[in-house]
Structure formats: C-alpha cells, structure tokens
Amino acid sequence: MSAKDIVITGFHAVGARLKSNPASIHAVYADLSRKDHRMTKMLASLEEAGIRVMNADKNRLEGLAKGIPHQGIVALATPPETKMSFDDLMDKLNATTLLLLLDGVTDPRNLGACLRVADAAGVQAVIVPKDRSATLTEAAIKASAGASDSVPLVLVTNLAATIVELKDAGIAVVGAAGEAEKTIYEFVQTEPFAWVLGAEDKGLRQLTRKRCSDLARIPMLGSVESLNVSVAAGICLYETVRQRLNR
C-alpha cells in the first residue's frame, strides 16, 4: 500500500471507481468465501479489468477499512482527481450552472452524502471552506457511493467572499435557514443558481447569511425542528431540478 493510497470500501464505491478509473485501483481485497450474486458480479468486473483480487478474512478487511463498513470488499487506490480550483470553476460557469456550498459541515459522512445527492441532481461542483470543513476521507468517499469520483470538490479560503464572487458572476446564491420568511418554492431557479447549507446543529454562520442573495426555509410540518444537511440538500436541489425540467 502506497502512503498516498486511499481505502475505498463497499460495492458502490469500489464499483464507481472501477467504472470511472480502473487504472487508479492498485489492489483489491475481498472475502472470496462469499458466493452471492453481488460479489460474483463484482469479481467478474474486476477480472475483466485485469485487476487482481486477493482473498482476505474478516479481520484483514476490517483492519484495512479502519472501522468503515466494507461489505466484504476493500480497494486501495489513488485519491479522487475531482478537486477543482475556484478559478477553474469560474471559467466553467454557464446558463445551467447549479452549485452546492456547504458552510461548516465537518462530518465526512455528511459531506459524502451531500456529494451523492449533488451528483444525482446534476450539480456542477460542491464548494467548501478549507478550514472547519470535512474533506474527502475514506468515510466521505464511502458515503458518497462513488460521487466523490464525479462531482468536483472546490476548496476556498473564504466562503463569504466566494459567495460575493458568485453573485457578481450572475449566480443567485440562496442560503437555507429555518427562520427565513420565504420557502424554497418561492424562488425562480431556472437561471444559474447556488444553494448554501450549514451543519444541522449550527446552520449558516452570520457572515455567510449576510452575503447570500436571499434566504429560504424548507417547510417543516411535523415536530422535528431540523433535517440532516444531506437530506436538506436533496430537498433544495431537487426543487431546482423540478423547475428546470418543467420550464
């Protein structure tokens, strides 16, 4: 195992990397005693790609996975090549741009889940601050179910300043906040658009709120007061998808 290798665990994540960049996979360890359809299909795909699979027992797999659920298969591979600079992103903005900004989301599993829903919704990039934010750890990659290989992750020094630059570039930047007067359904989202979401416990920081074009809330009709950030991201992003499909 190279010092630069990352660990990819589970069928979704290993399968996504196999599909997107098989050459980046250096080794695969699997419980070859499993004879179910899922494992058989995965082993056939790895063999077709010319990737050797080594038998590993439960203890070996758990040692490699470092506590992350592995479903009997672990791959060692180069880190995802989906990091993008903010300048590169600005050069690629277009009429259909949809972005997701995360403010203070420090749980790597939440970052991974947000990448997963961002991929499904056709998000161009996910933007996070370099400090006080989760990064692409093995746990994030596992939770992303392969989306960490397809959705660019843009790290910025100052999220508030980034919002200002996006607004200057003609993008409507709306932050999700429970106390907002407007709901997420009251915004036209068919033009270039960006959602900003904070962590479930703290929400958006004050300066982030001030820099947004506007704030919106997800209607909460039950007894709970907040949603997990990845669930909230899915709701917001798919309202944008709905509007764009129906325009």
Side-chain angles (χ1 to χ4, degrees):
M1 177 177 178
S2 166
K4 295 181 179 180
D5 280 347
I6 59 167
V7 177
I8 302 175
T9 63
F11 290 102
H12 274 301
V14 174
R17 177 59 72 91
L18 179 61
K19 182 178 179 180
S20 66
N21 190 1
S24 70
I25 300 176
H26 301 150
V28 175
Y29 297 84
D31 178 4
L32 298 183
S33 67
R34 283 188 56 168
K35 304 296 183 182
D36 56 278
H37 174 72
R38 199 173 194 188
M39 181 64 80
T40 301
K41 184 178 179 181
M42 175 62 75
L43 293 177
S45 297
L46 289 165
E47 182 180 2
E48 185 179 352
I51 298 172
R52 180 187 173 195
V53 179
M54 288 160 280
N55 191 26
D57 60 19
K58 179 181 178 181
N59 290 336
R60 176 62 168 154
L61 290 169
E62 291 184 351
L64 288 167
K66 304 173 185 176
I68 302 170
H70 54 75
Q71 300 174 302
I73 188 163
V74 172
L76 305 181
T78 55
E81 297 179 358
T82 52
K83 286 186 178 180
M84 177 188 290
S85 73
F86 183 66
D87 288 340
D88 287 342
L89 175 61
M90 292 295 284
D91 289 338
K92 296 179 180 179
L93 298 180
N94 55 61
T96 62
T97 286
L98 175 59
L99 303 172
L100 175 63
L101 286 69
L102 300 176
D103 183 24
V105 175
T106 57
D107 187 329
R109 293 165 298 181
N110 281 338
L111 172 61
C114 286
L115 286 167
R116 185 174 185 177
V117 74
D119 175 85
V123 167
Q124 191 172 351
V126 173
I127 301 174
V128 298
K130 292 179 180 178
D131 299 323
R132 294 183 295 277
S133 177
T135 57
L136 280 180
T137 62
E138 282 88 356
I141 292 169
K142 166 68 175 176
S144 77
S148 60
D149 285 321
S150 58
V151 180
L153 184 67
V154 178
L155 278 61
V156 296
T157 302
N158 188 315
L159 193 65
T162 296
I163 291 172
V164 172
E165 289 194 55
L166 291 173
K167 287 162 55 180
D168 289 345
I171 295 177
V173 182
V174 176
E179 74 280 5
E181 293 184 4
K182 300 176 184 177
T183 72
I184 63 171
Y185 309 113
E186 296 177 56
F187 294 87
V188 176
Q189 300 166 39
T190 53
E191 302 298 325
F193 201 88
W195 283 106
V196 190
L197 281 82
E200 181 180 352
D201 54 345
K202 298 179 180 179
L204 299 177
R205 289 176 293 175
Q206 194 61 35
L207 186 57
T208 303
R209 293 168 186 260
K210 290 180 179 179
R211 294 293 183 265
C212 288
S213 308
D214 211 333
L215 299 175
R217 61 181 172 84
I218 297 172
M220 303 290 288
L221 307 181
S223 59
V224 298
E225 296 181 356
S226 63
L227 296 170
N228 175 273
V229 62
S230 64
V231 175
I235 293 170
C236 293
L237 289 170
Y238 267 88
E239 171 56 18
T240 308
V241 171
R242 184 195 68 79
Q243 290 191 23
R244 294 183 175 191
L245 289 176
N246 294 326
R247 61 182 171 183

